[in-house]
Each structure stands twice: as C-alpha cells, then as structure tokens.
Amino acid sequence: MQKKLTIVESFCVGKEHVVVNAKLIKDFVNNNIGCSVDFFGEKNHIKYIKELLSPEEICIINFIIINVKRNVNVITSLLFQFKIIFNVFLLSRSKRFLFCSLLADSQIVIKLFSIFIKSDIYAIPHASLCDLDNKYDFKRPKEWLRYIFSFKFWFINFKTNKLCYVILGEHIEKKLHEKKLLKGVKYKVIEVPYLYNEEIKLKENMITSLSLDVGFKVGFLGQGTVEKGIDKFVELSQINFLNSKNEFYLAGGLHSSCKPLPCSIHTLEESNGLIDFNKMMTLACKMDFFVLFLDSKEYELRASATFFDIVNINKPMIILKNSFKYSESLGVPPESVGIVCDNLSDIINRLKNISLEEYSSYKRELFRLKIHLMKANSTRFLN
C-alpha cells in the first residue's frame, strides 16, 4: 500500500522555515520508497522549497497553494485557520497529517477537528510552547478572553490521542517534565530539522594561519533581539573598540524594538528589519566567530535555528557561561565548539590568545557534529 503524508505550512511565508520544511520533505521521501506527499503552503514558500529539492523529489510531491494571512486579530486568524485546515482535511485523503507550524489558533482548530478525524495528526509547536510560561491576571475580564484563546489553555485543558506534538529538542522535553506539563500529552522528540549544505567540506573550512595582528571578524547571526543577546553583543563591541583590533558585524537585521546600533558594529542595512537571506549568508561566511548569547530562560521551551546555521557554515562560537548552551542538548560540550567565557571582558582576552591548533579543533568538532546531524532522519517519528 502506498504511503502518503500530508504536510501543512499554514503560517510561514517566503523563506521562513524553508530549510526546516525542505528537510522534512526530503527525509520522508527518501526514507519511504513508493510514498506520496501533499504539501500545502504559501505560493512563495513553495517556490523556495522547490529550489532545495531534486527534480525526482518534486515529481513525488503534490504542491497545493494556500492563502496565508498574518497580522490579523485573534478571531480573524482563527477563522482563516479553520478555512485552511478544513480544506486540507477535505482535499487530502491521508492517514497522516504533519502541521509544520502549530500556533494558538491552529491548535484550537486541529483539536476540534480531531473529534471527527480518524487520521493521525502530528504538529510542530516551535516557539508556541513558550506560552506555557505566560501568566494571566484573571482579575481582569479581558485576560480571561486572552487565556481562553491562548496556546496554553488548549494545550493543558484539551488533550487528545489524535494529536501528537513534535518537540524540537530533549532540553524542551526535560523542562516540560520538570513543569509537569506532559502528563496525558502525546508527543515525540526530534532535533531541529535542518537542510545542511553538503558542498561545504571540512578542508574548505580549515585555515592554515591565524593573523592576530588584524584581529578576528566576530558576528551576530540572524535577527538581533534581546533574547538572542544583541544588547550583550553591542556591549562587547564597545569594550573591544578600546582594547583590540577585532571587528564586529550584524549578519542579519535588527528587531524594531531594539535601539540603533553603534558605529562599533558593521551592518548590512541602515534601517531596522529583516534582510535578504543570500546577503546575510555571504557576510556570515566571512566571519571567524559567531556569538551565541541565547537567554537561558527564553530558550527553555524553544529551539534555535541560529545554532544550526552556525554549525552549517562551520564557524566556532563564543558563548557566555550564564547563557543557554545549545550544544549540551546534543551531547556536545560547548568548550569543544568554541570559547566559553565568564564575562564580556574575558572574551576579548581569550580572542587575543587563540592558537591555530585550538581554532582548528573547534572547526573539526563542528564538522563532526554537522555530519552526525545530516545523517539523522527527521521524520523517523512517523514510522
């Protein structure tokens, strides 16, 4: 009997989560001979996914364009998700459905439909799990309404065996167990699906010398936000401005809530916002190090694609001891993939004393980690 899977991306548009969703498609197709896939997604999102698939893989997949609405009020968003998901279940006669981005509104609709649907439903909540930490002031009537439509309310109070949550990382599973939030919840755990660049070989990323006289290029990858540590990166650049020849770059955009960056940081644009992905990665590949100042509290219940972006381009990391150490959740000591420092001043001192052997060691370990992650089947939970 032919194996069929219906994959639904009802939130992301354009290049958002493209490497994640393309990896899921590739792994399912290549590990299930004779399978077929229906993929529902926004027009441009489908376009960019196709660019990452082979002609043989594209032939197996039935792409269906849907209209994704963003930045609308709660009720309107709920109605749009209802329309999308109703059509998905109506048009795709599948025994398995995978929703790539589960948010508060889509969770409500899916759980209501699960009463009538006999198929198995899997869903990836991404950062939506962070809502489980939110506090609500029930003395205010509007807070009751906000809570009733929240991800937390429907996660805790309406449980069904028809819906299986796909949790992205053992560190998230561990924290949910500590909070006693997984009782009666059906779930699977995988690492973040990521489509690595196979053309980047170890020998092409190794260096033969270190020029300490000109300093290092230190980067911040992705969108600059407080939870990702952009404020610490700014402070680091200003400490460096007076003490060393290192250069600092934002290889990404700056969130609108953040203050303009000082002249100690080079950027790709003058205004706030996201930038072209190709420009971002071209600059990223020129860096010697990337900071990874993830806030420990903020990343207890969410994954970080930034970590996997850095692994993909084989750049050693700079990590603070009190920040979230992502590599530990993969069984890799953070000290093996970069420098771990007590404080920002310590980082400048460590950079002054990096040897060629130490730097090359970081890159070798990152490459080994990348090869290990590339071999993983991100859709094994469907077997």
Side-chain angles (χ1 to χ4, degrees):
M1 184 177 178
Q2 191 181 51
K3 299 178 180 179
K4 182 176 181 180
L5 174 67
T6 297
I7 303 177
V8 185
E9 180 51 83
S10 63
F11 178 75
C12 291
V13 298
K15 290 188 176 181
E16 295 172 347
H17 288 184
V18 162
V19 292
V20 173
N21 293 340
K23 171 67 171 174
L24 289 167
I25 292 171
K26 275 182 171 286
D27 281 352
F28 182 77
V29 168
N30 295 322
N31 287 280
N32 295 273
I33 305 301
C35 70
S36 66
V37 175
D38 283 348
F39 184 89
F40 290 78
E42 183 257 348
K43 181 179 180 180
N44 288 324
H45 190 71
I46 289 175
K47 170 191 168 186
Y48 291 123
I49 281 182
K50 284 183 176 180
E51 291 177 358
L52 299 176
L53 303 178
S54 69
E56 294 78 14
E57 291 165 341
I58 292 175
C59 289
I60 297 173
I61 304 158
N62 177 31
F63 290 98
I64 301 117
I65 296 173
I66 59 176
N67 185 21
V68 174
K69 291 289 184 180
R70 301 268 288 266
N71 301 318
V72 294
N73 62 55
V74 175
I75 301 300
T76 303
S77 178
L78 192 61
L79 291 174
F80 269 111
Q81 286 297 319
F82 180 89
K83 181 181 178 181
I84 290 172
I85 295 170
F86 175 79
N87 286 328
V88 166
F89 288 135
L90 182 66
L91 296 173
S92 188
R93 304 291 181 176
S94 176
K95 291 187 177 181
R96 287 177 297 181
F97 292 85
L98 171 59
F99 289 83
C100 299
S101 299
L102 185 70
L103 280 76
D105 47 16
S106 52
Q107 179 183 223
I108 294 172
V109 176
I110 289 170
K111 287 199 169 182
L112 291 175
F113 272 116
S114 70
I115 299 172
F116 312 101
I117 299 297
K118 294 182 179 180
S119 304
D120 294 324
I121 305 170
Y122 300 84
I124 305 175
H126 289 286
S128 295
L129 290 172
C130 294
D131 185 55
L132 299 176
D133 275 339
N134 283 349
K135 306 294 183 184
Y136 295 87
D137 182 7
F138 295 119
K139 294 178 181 179
R140 300 167 57 193
K142 286 186 178 180
E143 282 291 280
W144 275 102
L145 189 62
R146 195 165 75 91
Y147 178 57
I148 289 171
F149 285 103
S150 72
F151 185 91
K152 182 176 184 177
F153 178 80
W154 286 80
F155 182 90
I156 293 174
N157 297 292
F158 293 87
K159 297 173 182 177
T160 170
N161 286 329
K162 296 284 186 63
L163 173 60
C164 178
Y165 294 90
V166 182
I167 297 172
L168 300 180
E170 292 182 1
H171 69 283
I172 300 175
E173 178 192 25
K174 180 181 178 182
K175 185 55 62 174
L176 289 173
H177 271 303
E178 289 178 6
K179 295 175 178 292
K180 298 180 180 180
L181 292 172
L182 288 177
K183 186 177 180 181
V185 174
K186 187 176 180 181
Y187 72 93
K188 298 286 186 181
V189 181
I190 63 170
E191 295 306 332
V192 174
Y194 190 99
L195 195 59
Y196 295 91
N197 187 339
E198 297 186 44
E199 281 70 45
I200 297 179
K201 306 298 182 183
L202 177 61
K203 64 181 181 180
E204 295 169 356
N205 280 275
M206 298 309 294
I207 58 172
T208 56
S209 65
L210 283 175
S211 182
L212 297 179
D213 292 335
V214 297
F216 291 107
K217 287 182 170 64
V218 180
F220 185 106
L221 187 59
Q223 188 177 41
T225 62
V226 173
E227 58 264 28
K228 288 177 67 177
I230 190 65
D231 52 338
K232 294 184 179 68
F233 185 64
V234 169
E235 187 178 347
L236 176 64
S237 72
Q238 292 175 327
I239 294 172
N240 169 84
F241 196 71
L242 300 172
N243 293 285
S244 72
K245 298 178 180 180
N246 301 312
E247 296 180 352
F248 289 76
Y249 295 80
L250 172 61
L254 184 66
H255 194 273
S256 58
S257 63
C258 297
K259 296 179 180 179
L261 297 177
C263 61
S264 55
I265 297 178
H266 303 276
T267 64
L268 285 171
E269 61 173 359
E270 294 182 358
S271 59
N272 291 346
L274 296 173
I275 63 165
D276 180 77
F277 179 78
N278 293 329
K279 289 182 179 179
M280 182 180 80
M281 296 312 295
T282 297
L283 177 61
C285 289
K286 296 177 181 178
M287 297 297 104
D288 299 308
F289 284 94
F290 274 106
V291 300
L292 199 67
F293 296 159
L294 303 178
D295 184 273
S296 296
K297 180 67 176 176
E298 290 289 336
Y299 281 85
E300 286 179 346
L301 295 177
R302 66 191 294 185
S304 171
T306 301
F307 173 84
F308 298 95
D309 286 333
I310 296 172
V311 171
N312 185 39
I313 56 177
N314 197 244
K315 302 295 180 180
M317 304 176 198
I318 298 173
I319 307 164
L320 288 171
K321 283 187 177 179
N322 63 353
S323 62
F324 180 66
K325 302 175 184 66
Y326 209 105
S327 65
E328 286 185 342
S329 67
L330 301 170
V332 178
E335 295 84 1
S336 67
V337 295
I339 61 175
V340 181
C341 301
D342 293 320
N343 51 57
L344 298 177
S345 297
D346 188 30
I347 292 173
I348 302 300
N349 294 328
R350 287 290 304 277
L351 288 174
K352 291 178 180 177
N353 297 292
I354 292 288
S355 67
L356 171 61
E357 181 181 358
E358 186 179 5
Y359 188 81
S360 297
S361 174
Y362 295 149
K363 293 178 79 68
R364 283 193 296 270
E365 186 58 37
L366 283 164
F367 190 75
R368 281 194 287 266
L369 175 59
K370 175 178 174 177
I371 295 300
H372 170 73
L373 293 171
M374 282 175 63
K375 292 178 179 178
N377 174 12
S378 63
T379 59
R380 66 185 183 275
F381 63 90
L382 293 167
N383 296 330

